[in-house]
DNA sequence: AGGGACCTCCAAAACGTTTTGGTTGACTCT
DNA sequence: AGAGTCAACCAAAACGTTTTGGAGGTCCCT
């Protein structure tokens, strides 16, 4: 309710002293400081955020772009990540704002709108593309940012990502070791870095094993996309006996295709993301997940360090992928 | 890059005139206005948001509280709703900020933090409880807000909600009409309004049909909660032949219980939310959904009208529930 | 007694807008 | 010619902080 002026007046002190007392400066006597703190508490004083931001030339805001277009920005646990990130940013006095990207507007334009209006101190970018114009723009403007997922940008930038290449390579090699020879891949849209790198992991493993990497179908990173892609692979003259899917949602879509086509218990399948839902599918879905606790906190930490000016090279986290074995990857490699 | 002062100087005009020209006031000549607009465009001028907020005494921000605790705030399409809401708010110059609720902190405290610091012009509340202290607080402070879901508050407040009572009553009556007599309910935590009202809808239908409403189990509104609740009902001496589940996620959990206990094709089941995932479960999940397009836009509209001062009574939307029939509700009412 | 070296405190400027309450000069009407 | 009207512009205040650059004491040392 109160502002600094009223508080100062009621205490018989100057605005300066009250302000500095509350901020803990040493040029205020301990007695005064205590008195001020008490009065501020009693009056329920909270500094006016706009005034502080204006004076300090900081927005105290970090924006995350959220495409509203495809009806889906990321895996369902994405919101938990955002929430965790916002929580840790809040501890540093920063708030997380949603920068929605309306249909027909590019993500780049939204970035510009926030950055040029000095509305944010930093940005969080999700669903990076291999060649991501947002990254290029932010780099050119020198705005701190962190991406969820790498890009092919030549200039290094802060990111957190899972080692999709290694994960998908390992998953494919594991199927090979179990006797599978026709191992298919259900890929996400290849302009996304995560989708591309997962596909390359599968492909590399196939080539290492001397197998043709030809059983690959691409779809939207949703259940429906996985369903259609699986149907396509199952129509091949020589069906896959195992499927490595870019995401759990695609894998769950593929599971339905398997049920429809072969009863659902012939072909091995593995996804990625460790959706809670995966434990409840039929059969329970084997999957992979990025290691590391509390992703949101990591993003917040990187953002703060980027704002503090740490060089990009020190703000890159590549996490290992681990398997979450349930049931769906255990089908024997029978010819269909 | 530039601010008003520099722009005014370069044009040989006063700050006032430039400001008013850009805002389209009529006391600036058309010629001057054009000249100013052109110069502003060329200089890439964007008004400093903090300065405007300070002067106008508006935060240009709306906060939505997101509990980070249960690992789950709402159905997966919740993020789409937020994104849509943010998009429509942005058109009115408002941004949506995430107000995370850390473990151990009450949602009320977070509300206070945002409201007392005048950091927001309005709030969006999700997952309302029957008796929701956030609602009481915001009402007492006279801060505009809209809730997703009703409450039992005696003072009316703006909300958008589905008519869960009617929906669950209708679903139960439909099972009755199909010959079912032992119709169970898998309920969400009863402190949430949505969970309570859905249960009451089921209960009312049972009583109308002269049946005992005793086959009810409660769980967390997640797959695991539905799974455990279903297991509990299936252990009853007289098993249900149909299940009405508070959410799709619970229904998907229950589906697994059914598969484990009776092979999964004996008992009818219906959920609520119309998750995309539901089309890919085994069997495909019949469900219900709230009618109405673009929920996010509706929230944004209500928020703007609440900020504009419209009375709460005119800002209440209760949407009908419609069935989404897939397959899981069609099992015959056989005795188990 | 004079000069530092603190310790407390404060007036005023600054941040970049928006808005209030004008002023100036040209034109019109009687 | 004087009064009134209007269009076009502007100086200054205000929003509530933080920070700069002191000012006035007190105490100690020589």
């Amino acid at each position: 309710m109160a502002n600094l002026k009223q508080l100062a007046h009621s205490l018989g002190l100057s605005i300066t002293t009250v302000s500095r007392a509350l901020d803990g400066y040493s040029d205020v006597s301990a007695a005064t400081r205590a008195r001020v703190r008490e009065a501020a508490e009693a009056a329920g004083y909270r500094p006016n955020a706009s005034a502080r931001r204006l004076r300090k030339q900081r927005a105290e805001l970090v924006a995350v772009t959220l495409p509203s277009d495809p009806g889906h920005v990321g895996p369902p646990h994405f919101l938990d990540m955002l929430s965790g990130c916002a929580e840790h940013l809040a501890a540093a006095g920063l708030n997380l704002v949603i920068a929605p990207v309306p249909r027909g507007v590019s993500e780049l334009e939204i970035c510009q709108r926030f950055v040029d209006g000095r509305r944010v101190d930093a940005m969080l970018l999700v669903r990076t593309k291999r060649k991501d114009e947002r990254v290029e723009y932010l780099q050119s403007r020198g705005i701190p940012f962190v991406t969820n997922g790498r890009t092919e940008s030549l200039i290094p930038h802060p990111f957190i990502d899972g080692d999709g290449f290694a994960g998908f390579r390992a998953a494919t090699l594991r199927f090979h070791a179990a006797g599978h020879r026709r191992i298919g891949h259900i890929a996400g849209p290849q302009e996304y870095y995560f989708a591309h790198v997962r596909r390359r992991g599968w492909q590399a493993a196939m080539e290492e094993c001397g197998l043709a990497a030809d059983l690959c179908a691409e779809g939207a990173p949703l259940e429906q996309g996985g369903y259609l892609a699986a149907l396509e692979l199952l129509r091949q003259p020589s069906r896959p006996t195992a499927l490595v899917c870019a995401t759990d949602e695609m894998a769950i879509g593929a599971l339905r295709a398997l049920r429809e086509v072969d009863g659902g218990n012939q072909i091995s399948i593995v996804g990625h993301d460790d959706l809670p839902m995966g434990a409840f599918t039929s059969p329970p879905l084997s999957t992979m997940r990025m290691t590391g606790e509390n992703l949101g906190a990591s993003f917040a930490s990187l953002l703060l360090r980027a704002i503090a000016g740490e060089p990009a090279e020190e703000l890159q986290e590549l996490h290992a992928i681990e398997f979450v074995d349930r049931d769906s990857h255990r089908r024997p490699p029978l010819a269909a």
Side-chain angles (χ1 to χ4, degrees), chain A:
Chain A
M1 277 283 74
N3 60 22
L4 226 36
K5 192 196 285 193
Q6 293 163 17
L7 202 56
H9 184 77
S10 78
L11 282 163
L13 289 168
S14 73
I15 292 179
T16 307
T17 302
V18 175
S19 171
R20 296 179 75 84
L22 292 174
D23 278 3
Y25 280 73
S26 62
D27 64 356
V28 177
S29 74
T32 307
R33 179 160 45 232
R35 199 161 63 94
V36 169
R37 291 234 164 110
E38 201 168 325
E41 177 77 20
Y45 169 75
R46 300 257 185 275
N48 180 299
S50 301
R52 186 190 29 223
R53 299 202 249 241
L54 173 59
R55 171 64 225 219
K56 299 197 100 167
Q57 296 288 79
R58 295 177 52 220
E60 298 182 352
L61 247 35
V62 174
V64 53
T65 59
L66 276 200
S68 58
D69 199 32
H72 222 76
V73 280
H77 52 66
F78 180 74
L79 194 56
D80 291 330
M81 186 277 275
L82 276 195
S83 179
C85 182
E87 179 182 331
H88 285 261
L89 287 176
L94 293 172
N95 284 122
L96 187 62
V97 355
I98 290 176
V101 182
R103 268 154 265 270
V105 180
S106 74
E107 297 208 29
L108 178 61
E109 276 178 75
I110 298 299
C111 279
Q112 290 173 331
R113 198 169 299 174
F114 274 82
V115 166
D116 289 343
R118 285 173 236 54
R119 307 169 83 86
V120 294
D121 300 319
M123 297 215 57
L124 177 57
L125 263 36
V126 301
R127 278 279 155 123
T128 45
K129 302 192 171 180
R130 290 163 61 190
K131 180 165 158 45
D132 201 302
E133 54 182 10
R134 301 171 297 174
V135 167
E136 289 167 11
Y137 169 73
L138 291 173
Q139 285 183 325
S140 77
R141 299 299 303 262
I143 305 293
F145 68 98
V146 177
T147 62
N148 183 6
R150 283 162 290 170
T151 67
E152 292 177 354
S153 165
L154 297 174
I155 310 167
H157 61 81
F159 66 78
I160 296 183
D161 202 357
D163 190 351
F165 182 88
F168 276 65
R169 178 175 166 274
T172 306
L173 291 178
R174 202 159 72 140
F175 277 143
H176 182 260
H180 290 275
R181 291 301 175 264
R182 292 196 304 284
I183 306 167
H185 177 49
I186 294 190
Q190 292 295 299
E191 73 256 32
Y192 291 115
Y193 194 95
F194 83 92
H196 183 64
V197 82
R198 289 175 192 181
R199 179 177 166 189
R200 280 195 15 242
W202 161 78
Q203 206 167 349
M206 293 299 276
E207 285 164 12
E208 283 175 49
C209 299
L211 299 171
D214 55 356
L215 285 167
C216 178
E218 189 176 323
L222 295 170
E223 295 90 351
Q224 182 71 13
Y227 172 68
L228 296 175
L231 245 28
E232 187 181 328
L233 291 182
L234 292 173
R235 269 198 305 269
Q236 301 293 318
S238 163
R239 276 190 190 175
T241 62
L243 286 176
V244 185
C245 303
T247 74
D248 275 358
E249 287 174 287
M250 298 187 85
I252 288 172
L255 239 27
R256 170 169 151 195
L258 299 189
R259 276 193 303 270
E260 289 179 1
V261 170
D262 75 354
N265 253 333
Q266 305 297 314
I267 300 181
S268 285
I269 187 167
V270 63
H272 182 293
D273 281 346
D274 192 21
L275 293 198
M277 190 74 68
F280 296 88
T281 54
S282 166
L285 182 67
S286 296
T287 182
M288 304 175 238
R289 61 183 299 273
M290 204 174 96
T291 53
E293 293 302 305
N294 204 343
L295 191 56
S298 303
F299 274 112
S301 163
L302 286 193
L303 280 165
L304 292 171
R305 288 165 62 195
I307 291 172
E310 277 195 47
E313 289 84 352
E314 294 173 18
L315 302 175
Q316 304 184 324
E317 291 189 9
L318 188 60
H319 292 259
I321 303 294
E322 66 186 6
F323 289 112
V324 179
D325 286 340
R326 285 200 269 258
D327 199 49
S328 66
H329 72 296
R330 295 191 214 278
R331 307 289 166 266
L334 297 178

